[in-house]
Amino acid sequence: MTLTTPRARTGRITFFVALAVFAQESTWNLYDSQVPPLLREHLGSAALIGALMGMDNLLGIFVQPWMGNRSDGTRTAWGRRIPYLVAGMPVAAVLFVLIPHAAATLPLLILTMFGYALVANSFKPIAESLLPDYIGPERRSRANAAVKIASSITVIVAALISLFLIDDFPKLSFVIPAILMLASVAVLAWKVRDSRSPAYLAALEEDRQGSAAQAPRVPMRQVLLDIVRDADRSRLLVILAVFAFGSAWFASRSLVTNYGMEALHLSRGDAGGVSLPSGVAFIAAAYPAALLAERFGRLRVILAGMVVFAAAMVLGTVVRTPAGTVVAFCVAAAGAAAFMVNMAVVLWNLAPSARVLGTYTGLYTVGWSTGGFVGPALVGGMVDVTGWPFMLLDVGAVTLVGVLLVTRIAVLRRRRAEGPEL
């Protein structure tokens, strides 16, 4: 599969894809930072809090690949992605604003969390699929770096809200990311028509070349069987590696506020702001991670980044102070950038057709969301046994599983030199 886009249009569409991701992540990051303390008012178990925080990722396991597959088969004058974004983002923004108002009782809080997670998950892979729709394999790492930088800015926004607003205005603080989401989707609705994307046009051509009875959408079962039955196993191992690293990443993000309060004895607001400098570190590392991947190979850079992430967790455990934790999270964010910028590109570049790019994005998020569901609960259970002071070490142990999986993928790709460029 070959897709080409003029360089000028590549920059323009990268901005709009980054805006789409910024819109959704502006709410997700405050959700991960400040919903755990709301649950802590009703629950004492870190494992149970982690499991409820992973609920959105459990929903994502089922909703995201299905919605990605549905969007692959959508054919409208507006394209196959934008209609879903315009419909879903405003609803998610409203539900997000309602979360702190529902925190008075645990059942109502969980119900509101479920509603937000269901709607937000429905358009998450669709926004991310715009990037491979428009941009060819050789430049996807650079474009995805820009998208991840936009996502990291929302980490900074969430940390600033935690530092300066959450203690005094706990309900109003949730309105700010919702407004950012509404503004972003308004710009997307005005400027983007993905019916003009190279992948959409390629999919239409494949539709025309197929039999008259062939539906535009490739069935999910067919896509899954193709991956599972492939003797190479690279695509399956990529998804498993995403699961492993996603487990470590989400555990570190979802439990960091409680870690700061319990292990570092910080206030809720100060603990929520521990991740602020790491957002800057991620931004600084994202684009170099893309350039290094293009020069030395994506899998090598991904592997190095995961090792750095695990080492940073050990550093944070040894130097258990607020300053030491900030440094550890900065180093970890730089390592995570290598994985998060390049791993989705690896899977996109292994996709056999433009007709399944949204489905492959959904499958990537299956691994990521499964890790997001299992990771916080798993690490939370480990914390219940070892105590909060060793939470970062627990995260590092989970990361090592991902290191082994990526090492195996690299070995397989070296044996198959004629395979697609990753």
Side-chain angles (χ1 to χ4, degrees), residues 3 71-80 133 193-211 214-217 353-356:
L3 304 175
S71 70
D72 277 339
T74 299
R75 304 288 185 264
T76 72
W78 213 349
R80 56 181 178 175
D133 277 353
R193 298 291 185 273
D194 69 287
S195 57
R196 305 165 187 166
S197 72
Y200 186 79
L201 297 176
L204 291 179
E205 182 61 27
E206 289 186 44
D207 293 345
R208 284 191 291 268
Q209 292 177 0
S211 66
Q214 185 181 28
R217 181 167 63 93
S353 167
R355 299 174 71 226
V356 296

Side-chain angles (χ1 to χ4, degrees), residues 31-41 49 53 254-255 258:
Y31 180 93
D32 288 338
S33 175
Q34 293 303 330
V35 171
L38 296 178
L39 291 170
R40 187 169 172 267
E41 294 176 3
I49 292 173
M53 286 304 298
S254 296
L255 301 176
N258 287 355

Side-chain angles (χ1 to χ4, degrees), residues 40 94 109 112 160 198 207 220 264 272 275 277 283 293 299 313 320 324 332 342-343 354 378 381 386 420:
R40 187 169 172 267
V94 172
L109 175 59
T112 308
L160 289 173
D207 293 345
M220 176 66 71
L264 305 178
S275 61
I283 291 172
L299 291 176
M313 295 298 100
R320 195 182 308 131
N342 293 298
M343 199 53 142
L378 173 63
T386 63

